[in-house]
Amino acid sequence: MIEIYTDGSSSGNPGPGGYGTILKSGSHYKELSGGFRKTTNNRMELLAVIAGLEAIKQPGEEVQIFSDSKYVVDSVEKKWVFGWVKKNFAGKKNKDLWLRFLALNKLHKVKFTWIKGHNDHPENERCDRLAVAAGKDTKNLKVDTFFENEQQNPATPKMW
């Protein structure tokens, strides 16, 4: 069993932001984080999950993801995202990240657990610190090309 703890953060929606992820399995422990110059909190929450799943080397793992994001947890556990796929994400945001997540989700046996944020949960608090620090690291902020293009050209048809 691999445990993944995640959190995302954004200064403004949109604004600079980051994600933090912790992977735990037995005696193995790994922290991941990254920041973007223009993003949203929901994108960072979802990207934290994706980063954790992408770090798993073997397919077929049992994975328990702990997130304080109702957006992410409910979208998967209540199966909303699967309905969005059938409707080609009409009216929904973050299609690029959801498709990336769904491809990874097929590789493993993934379950989600919602945890209350900022509630002294050690791993969640650590993920929050990682996410905030990554979003403030102005020298290393990446460009979320998909998001920034979408923001600049909201009426332009998109090629997925």
Side-chain angles (χ1 to χ4, degrees):
M1 167 72 77
I2 297 172
E3 295 178 352
I4 298 177
Y5 298 86
T6 67
D7 201 14
S9 149
S10 177
S11 302
N13 260 341
Y19 68 87
T21 306
I22 295 172
L23 288 91
K24 293 171 66 173
S25 180
S27 62
H28 300 283
Y29 180 95
K30 185 174 191 170
E31 293 183 350
L32 305 167
S33 64
F36 293 84
R37 71 179 187 183
K38 190 173 182 184
T39 190
T40 65
N41 187 66
N42 281 347
R43 284 185 73 78
M44 293 298 94
E45 294 282 3
L46 183 51
L47 192 55
V49 171
I50 290 167
L53 291 171
E54 286 178 342
I56 299 172
K57 299 192 183 342
Q58 298 282 50
E61 296 285 352
E62 288 188 32
V63 181
Q64 183 67 52
I65 298 174
F66 298 89
S67 172
D68 64 5
S69 170
K70 284 283 196 179
Y71 168 68
V72 173
V73 174
D74 286 352
S75 294
V76 178
E77 288 299 304
K78 294 181 178 182
K79 305 194 184 316
W80 298 338
V81 69
F82 305 104
W84 301 343
V85 168
K86 290 178 184 174
K87 295 177 183 174
N88 198 28
F89 290 84
K92 298 299 176 191
K93 295 182 179 182
N94 305 318
K95 176 181 178 177
D96 63 318
L97 295 181
W98 281 114
L99 290 175
R100 196 166 149 193
F101 162 77
L102 289 167
L104 294 163
N105 187 56
K106 289 179 185 177
L107 299 176
H108 306 289
K109 300 172 193 103
V110 180
K111 293 183 182 173
F112 280 82
T113 299
W114 179 78
I115 55 175
K116 185 176 170 110
H118 307 288
N119 200 35
D120 296 327
H121 187 286
E123 288 85 1
N124 181 255
E125 294 294 333
R126 177 64 183 150
C127 287
D128 181 63
R129 288 191 300 275
L130 289 168
V132 170
K136 289 182 176 178
D137 185 5
T138 56
K139 292 182 181 177
N140 293 306
L141 293 179
K142 298 173 189 161
V143 176
D144 183 342
T145 306
F146 181 90
F147 179 76
E148 290 194 24
N149 285 341
E150 185 178 59
Q151 291 294 299
Q152 290 174 353
N153 305 304
T156 304
K158 293 160 196 70
M159 302 303 291
W160 308 103

